Structure formats: structure tokens, C-alpha cells
């Protein structure tokens, strides 16, 4: 329980713009994006600088008060919602500290929004390749803390691969200044990697130095109707070979997901004449004009010859490419409009994705009458969003609860296939029990690291590592 004295100390450390207790203002910070969970906090802190963040953490640590860090609050596993903890938002920490084009790096504060980072990179004739549906709200601190993925992992890797250096406030309030723009630094343990994917359990990320890449001269996107997930995997190999390493995305979309988008997302349009059971969206980012289109045409032609592509359209310009992405990016939003879903963000070795989808779908059909599978996502890197929805609209939390035995069976299948039950969204509070169940030794080791850095358990308790 936080005392009046601690509350006053926090308020005076941050000044009038740096805190809030008004329930109306707090509302968007204490509800998650999917509307599944309600959080509560005695106070929202909004430090404007790393020094203010450190001072806030020192005050909380001295009083034994726990903290939940929050960025854009777009996380899907409940990690950014306080349950009585002090809520610390990075919303005011938005400075771009440095752009070093010769070093192909960019240093900015944790509250910067992903879209801003992409724009700053483009303004400097560079690419920051991370791209995902929540990029208008997700922050660099949140993306790092969840080790976010998105649609370009196939070519550029996850957030873990895009970070050169970090600055973080430790659970006792000390500031670790690890903002090094180095690609080689063999000086012992790579400490920044501990904070990447830690979901706020080891400290607060306050700034990061990120890698920049050359901007492709031409982005070519295509949308193809295909008969099955195994066709998608085969086409992946063909497109990789045809594009010489410049294939940046291959996403799979089932017909029922496309139907949801066409129904709920204004302006969306099916670009193909007939309906197909599955679709893929491919993107090639070529270095020279004309190369991307030629590679895409070659890949699709081979696909037609092999009978794994039924129909396809290649975007002729940027607007058309964006329209194709508008069939993929808003799937989560369209699902939300349909009703609550049991979401399984899992990864499987690419070679086994088709078999996994088939077996998983059979499990759902056997165990959950009235439900259907919407399996979409990043086939190029093995990440499937294996979601289970009620066929009729308007399902609530009771539906998700009724699916729990199915979730257990799906997670069991993921283990059988050598996959992971947490691919890109993280563990949060949603999956901490499942993770401890499936990977007990790994969670034990994580507990040891947590105790070493945060012996009093101040930082985001309940998240990632179950209590006790
Ligand atoms: C429509 C939609 C599409 C999405 N698509 C994808 C996708 O394709 N790929 C993907 O990976 N994710 C996706 N997500 C999930 C989400 O956007 C990511 O997890 C994102 O990284 C969260 O960023 P955030 O700033 O909103 O973090 P938050 O939701 O605020 O926080 C997420 C976690 O990070 C911690 N945290 C936040 N900031 C800090 C900090 N500065 N220091 C320490 N800990 C911190 C929080 O405590 C919490 O545990 C999607 C979400 C939505 C709503």
C-alpha cells in the first residue's frame, strides 16, 4: 500500500505535468487494447527525462512499492497493466537524441512511436525495418521490452537484432548507460539482451540506439490465392531463391480472415476475381529499380507452373501495395470487431507449419463446436497467429474461458512440433503460468536473473515469471 508521503515525494519529484490520479485521465492507461483486462493504479507517473525516471524508481524502491512500465499500451498479453502498482508511462520521453548516418544508427528515447522512428529514418534516406499493425501507437521501449517482431522479420530479424545499445533505469534507480552504437563489442555478457524481451521485469528502458539499413529502391508487393498452407511454404522457398535475399515479407491469410477484413474494415476490397481458400502477401525490397518486379513475376510464374498459385496480382504502385497491406494489417482489428477470441501467438519451424495448422484445426473441430480457426501471420519466419473464434459475432470473455482446454491442447501440439507458445507478443500475465509449465528450468533460470537485478521484486511483478 502506497503511503501519502510516498505519493507526495513522487509528485514533487516530477512536477505538475509528471503525474496524474484523475480516474477519467487514467482510464486509457488501465484498459488493454483488446478490452480484456482492467488494471488499477494509485498514480500514473509521466517522467520527461531519464533522470526523472531514475528519481521515481528510487522513491518507489525506498518505499518498497512496485512499478509497471508502460509505453503505447498496445501489448496483447496484459504486461502493461498495473494491478495496484505505480504505473510509469514513457509518453513524455520522445526525444530523438542522435542520427548518425555514417554509422547507420539512430538514438532515441523510449517513448518515441514506431511510425516516428520510421519517418526519421526515411528523412535521412535510411530504413528502420520494423513494421507492425500497432505502429501508430507502439513505442520503442515497449517494442524492445517485448522483443517485437512484425512483418519484416524474415529479412531483418526481430527487435533483438535491431538494437545496438540501451540506456535503462535499474530497479534500485541507478542508470545503466549502454548506448553504444557498436556492431562489435565482445566485452563479456551482452547485458542489453537481458532487457530486450524482459517485459519491464528488470528495469525501465529509457533510450536505445537502433540499426538503420539502406532504403530499397523499389518495394514490390503481390497478393496470391493459393490452395493450402503447404503451398505458402513451398512458395516461400521459390520466392527466396528468385529474389536473392531481398524477400522482406511472406504473410499467410486464410479466406475467413479476409472475409472479416472485408466486412469490418472500411475501404478494403478483394483484389482477386474469385475466392480462394488461402492467400499469401509477398513483399520484395530490391536495391535496383525493376529487379523486385522481375523477381516477383518469376516466383509467381513458377508457382503457377507448380499449381501452388491459383491467381495473383502484383501492385503497380505504392498506393496499390498499401491497399494490399490493408488486407493483412487490420486482421486483429477485424477480429476484435467480430468478438473476443482465444489467441495463440505461436512459432513452429517453417517446415512444419502446414502440418501444425492442419492438426491444430482438427483439435479445434473436435473440442470446440461452434468455433473456427483463423490461422494467419508471418509464415516467412514461422510465426502463426492460431486464433480460435466463435463463428457467430459477439463472443465475450465466457467464450475465451470455454476455450481454455483447447488452448492447453494447442500448446501441447506446439511442444510436439518443437515450437514456442510465445512467438512475438511476449508472455505477460496471460502466459506466465503456461511458460512455467512448459519450460520449468528456463523459468527457474530467469528467476535467478530477476533476483540478481531486482532482489526486492519491484519491477513489473506477476509478469513473465509467476510469483512464488
Ligand atoms: C493491432 C495490433 C497489431 C500488433 N501486431 C504485432 C506484430 O505484428 N508483432 C508484434 O511483435 N507485436 C504486435 N502487437 C503487439 C504490440 O504492439 C507489441 O507488443 C509492442 O511491442 C508493444 O509496444 P507498446 O509501446 O505498446 O508497449 P506496452 O503495451 O505499453 O508494454 C508492453 C510490455 O513492455 C513493458 N514496457 C513498455 N515500455 C517499457 C519500457 N520503456 N521499459 C521497460 N518495459 C517497458 C510493459 O511493462 C509491458 O510488459 C500488435 C498489437 C496490436 C494492438
Amino acid at each position: 500500500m502506497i503511503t501519502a508521503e510516498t505519493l507526495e515525494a513522487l509528485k514533487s519529484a516530477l512536477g505538475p505535468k509528471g503525474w496524474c490520479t484523475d480516474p477519467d485521465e487514467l482510464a486509457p492507461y488501465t484498459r488493454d487494447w483488446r478490452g480484456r483486462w482492467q488494471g488499477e493504479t494509485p498514480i500514473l507517473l509521466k517522467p520527461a527525462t531519464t533522470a526523472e525516471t531514475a528519481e521515481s524508481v528510487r522513491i518507489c524502491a525506498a518505499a518498497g512499492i512496485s512499478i509497471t512500465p508502460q509505453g503505447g499500451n498496445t501489448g496483447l498479453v496484459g504486461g502493461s497493466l498495473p494491478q495496484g502498482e505505480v504505473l510509469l508511462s514513457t509518453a513524455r520521453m520522445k526525444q530523438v537524441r542522435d542520427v548518425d548516418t555514417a554509422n547507420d544508427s539512430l538514438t532515441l528515447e523510449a517513448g518515441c512511436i514506431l511510425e516516428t522512428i520510421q519517418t526519421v529514418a526515411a528523412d535521412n534516406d535510411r530504413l528502420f525495418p520494423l513494421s507492425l499493425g500497432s505502429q501508430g501507437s507502439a513505442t520503442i521501449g515497449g517494442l524492445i521490452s517485448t522483443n517485437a517482431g512484425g512483418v519484416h522479420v524474415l529479412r531483418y530479424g526481430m527487435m533483438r537484432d535491431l538494437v545496438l545499445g540501451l540506456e535503462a533505469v535499474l530497479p534500485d534507480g541507478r542508470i545503466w548507460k549502454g548506448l553504444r552504437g557498436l556492431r562489435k563489442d565482445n566485452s563479456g555478457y551482452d547485458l542489453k539482451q537481458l532487457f530486450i524481451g524482459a517485459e519491464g521485469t528488470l528495469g525501465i528502458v529509457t533510450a536505445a540506439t537502433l540499426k538503420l539499413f539502406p532504403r530499397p529502391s523499389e518495394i514490390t508487393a503481390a497478393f496470391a490465392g493459393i490452395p493450402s498452407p503447404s503451398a505458402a511454404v513451398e512458395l516461400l522457398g521459390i520466392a527466396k531463391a528468385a529474389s536473392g535475399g531481398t524477400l522482406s515479407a511472406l504473410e499467410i491469410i486464410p479466406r475467413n480472415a479476409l472475409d472479416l477484413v472485408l466486412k469490418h474494415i472500411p475501404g478494403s476490397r478483394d483484389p482477386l476475381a474469385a475466392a480462394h481458400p488461402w492467400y499469401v502477401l509477398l513483399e520484395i525490397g530490391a536495391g535496383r529499380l525493376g529487379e523486385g518486379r522481375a523477381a516477383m513475376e518469376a516466383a509467381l510464374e513458377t508457382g503457377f507452373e507448380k499449381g501452388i498459385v491459383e491467381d495473383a496480382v502484383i501492385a503497380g504502385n505504392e498506393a496499390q501495395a498499401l491497399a494490399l497491406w490493408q488486407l493483412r494489417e487490420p486482421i486483429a482489428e477485424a477480429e476484435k470487431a467480430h468478438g473476443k477470441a482465444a489467441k495463440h501467438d505461436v512459432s513452429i519451424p517453417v517446415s512444419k507449419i502446414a502440418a501444425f495448422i492442419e492438426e491444430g484445426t482438427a483439435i479445434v473441430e473436435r473440442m470446440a463446436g461452434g468455433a473456427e480457426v483463423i490461422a494467419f501471420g508471418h509464415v516467412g519466419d514461422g510465426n502463426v497467429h492460431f486464433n480460435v473464434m466463435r463463428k457467430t459475432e459477439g463472443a465475450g470473455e465466457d467464450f475465451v474461458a470455454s476455450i481454455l482446454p483447447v488452448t492447453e491442447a494447442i500448446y501441447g501440439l506446439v511442444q510436439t512440433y518443437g515450437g514456442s507458445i510465445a512467438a512475438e507478443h511476449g508472455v505477460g500475465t496471460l502466459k506466465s503460468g503456461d511458460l512455467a509449465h512448459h519450460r520449468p528450468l528456463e523459468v527457474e533460470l530467469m528467476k535467478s536473473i530477476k533476483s540478481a537485478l531486482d532482489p526486492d521484486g519491484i519491477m513489473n511483478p506477476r509478469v513473465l515469471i509467476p510469483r512464488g
Side-chain angles (χ1 to χ4, degrees), residues 141-161:
L143 295 159
I144 287 173
S145 301
T146 57
N147 184 26
V151 297
H152 291 147
V153 171
L154 170 62
R155 180 167 178 186
Y156 297 100
M158 295 188 67
M159 201 62 216
R160 202 177 276 295
D161 303 299

Side-chain angles (χ1 to χ4, degrees), residues 12 22 29 36 39 63 100 150 216 267 273 348 367 379:
S12 75
D22 174 51
Y29 296 87
R36 285 201 65 191
D100 184 346
I348 304 289
M367 294 180 69
V379 161

Side-chain angles (χ1 to χ4, degrees), residues 33 69 71-75 79 134 139 142-143 145-146 148-150 199-200 205 424 460:
W33 185 83
N73 197 20
T74 65
S134 55
T139 63
L143 295 159
S145 301
T146 57
E199 303 186 34
V205 172
E424 63 173 5
N460 227 5

Side-chain angles (χ1 to χ4, degrees), residues 368-390:
E372 68 179 330
V373 171
I374 301 213
F376 68 96
H378 320 298
V379 161
D381 60 51
N383 180 190
V384 185
H385 299 302
F386 192 89
N387 297 343
V388 180
M389 302 199 73
R390 205 174 67 189

Side-chain angles (χ1 to χ4, degrees), residues 33 68-76 78-81 90 110 131-135 137-151 158 198-201 203-206 328-329 332-333 378 383 385 424-426 428 459-460 463:
W33 185 83
T68 294
Q70 190 181 87
N73 197 20
T74 65
L76 299 173
S80 54
L81 288 188
T90 55
S131 174
L132 36 82
S134 55
Q135 61 195 28
S137 312
T139 63
I140 194 62
L143 295 159
I144 287 173
S145 301
T146 57
N147 184 26
V151 297
M158 295 188 67
E199 303 186 34
T201 58
I204 297 173
V205 172
T206 47
R328 162 62 187 94
E329 292 289 19
E333 213 177 309
H378 320 298
N383 180 190
H385 299 302
E424 63 173 5
H425 296 159
M459 292 306 310
N460 227 5
V463 169

Side-chain angles (χ1 to χ4, degrees), residues 29-366:
Y29 296 87
T30 51
R31 190 91 181 143
D32 71 303
W33 185 83
R34 286 161 69 190
R36 285 201 65 191
W37 302 290
Q38 180 62 47
E40 52 170 332
T41 183
I43 189 165
L44 167 68
L45 305 180
K46 288 183 170 180
T49 62
T50 301
E52 284 186 4
T53 305
E55 185 54 17
S56 309
V57 174
R58 262 194 297 274
I59 293 168
C60 288
I65 299 295
S66 300
I67 301 168
T68 294
Q70 190 181 87
N73 197 20
T74 65
L76 299 173
V77 289
S80 54
L81 288 188
Q83 294 299 343
E85 293 87 24
V86 162
L87 182 58
L88 190 146
S89 164
T90 55
R92 288 173 73 214
M93 300 184 64
K94 290 193 163 176
Q95 273 194 34
V96 177
R97 292 192 190 166
D98 182 44
V99 183
D100 184 346
T101 49
N103 193 48
D104 279 325
S105 64
L106 169 68
T107 299
L108 26 70
E109 293 184 346
C112 288
I113 306 280
L114 177 52
E115 254 173 20
T116 314
I117 305 167
Q118 293 164 342
T119 305
V120 173
D123 290 348
N124 287 277
D125 196 26
R126 295 291 186 277
L127 172 78
F128 183 65
L130 197 81
S131 174
L132 36 82
S134 55
Q135 61 195 28
S137 312
T139 63
I140 194 62
L143 295 159
I144 287 173
S145 301
T146 57
N147 184 26
V151 297
H152 291 147
V153 171
L154 170 62
R155 180 167 178 186
Y156 297 100
M158 295 188 67
M159 201 62 216
R160 202 177 276 295
D161 303 299
L162 303 176
V163 177
L164 290 172
L166 275 191
E167 178 188 87
V169 170
L170 303 177
D172 59 7
R174 284 179 296 168
I175 301 169
W176 174 53
K177 295 185 177 169
L179 282 177
R180 302 183 190 103
L182 303 176
R183 283 169 177 80
K184 286 188 173 176
D185 184 11
N186 272 350
S187 46
Y189 302 144
D190 190 350
L191 294 175
K192 68 176 179 297
Q193 292 296 345
L194 274 183
F195 293 88
I196 303 173
E199 303 186 34
T201 58
L202 298 180
I204 297 173
V205 172
T206 47
T209 300
L210 306 176
K211 283 184 197 168
L212 296 177
F213 294 82
R215 255 152 71 86
S217 306
E218 173 188 69
I219 302 279
T220 308
F223 193 75
I226 58 167
S228 62
S230 63
V233 174
E234 197 178 341
L235 190 59
L236 172 68
I238 293 168
K240 272 185 181 169
S243 62
T246 59
L247 182 70
S248 43
L250 193 143
E251 300 282 307
I252 192 166
I253 304 166
R255 178 69 211 187
N256 56 1
L258 183 63
D259 282 338
L260 281 184
V261 170
L262 296 175
K263 181 169 182 190
H264 294 290
I265 306 298
S268 54
R269 194 182 63 81
D270 185 346
L272 301 180
H276 301 268
W278 294 85
Y279 300 85
V280 283
L281 204 170
L282 304 102
E283 186 191 271
I284 293 174
R288 292 215 193 102
L289 285 179
E291 278 183 0
R293 186 160 184 113
M296 189 68 87
E297 283 173 357
L300 291 173
E301 235 170 79
T302 310
F304 277 121
E305 280 161 18
K306 287 178 169 279
I308 54 169
V309 172
E310 297 172 338
D311 192 9
V313 58
I314 300 181
N317 54 40
E318 209 179 319
Q320 285 178 10
L322 272 179
L324 295 184
W325 275 109
Q326 269 308 303
L327 299 172
R328 162 62 187 94
E329 292 289 19
I331 292 178
E333 213 177 309
E335 280 183 332
K336 189 173 157 181
H338 180 84
K340 294 273 194 293
K343 298 199 171 197
H344 309 103
D345 163 44
V346 302
S347 62
I348 304 289
V350 172
S351 51
K352 296 173 182 162
I353 278 188
F356 169 79
I357 292 179
E358 195 179 323
E359 262 191 74
T361 304
I363 288 176
V364 174
E365 281 168 1
R366 201 170 58 244

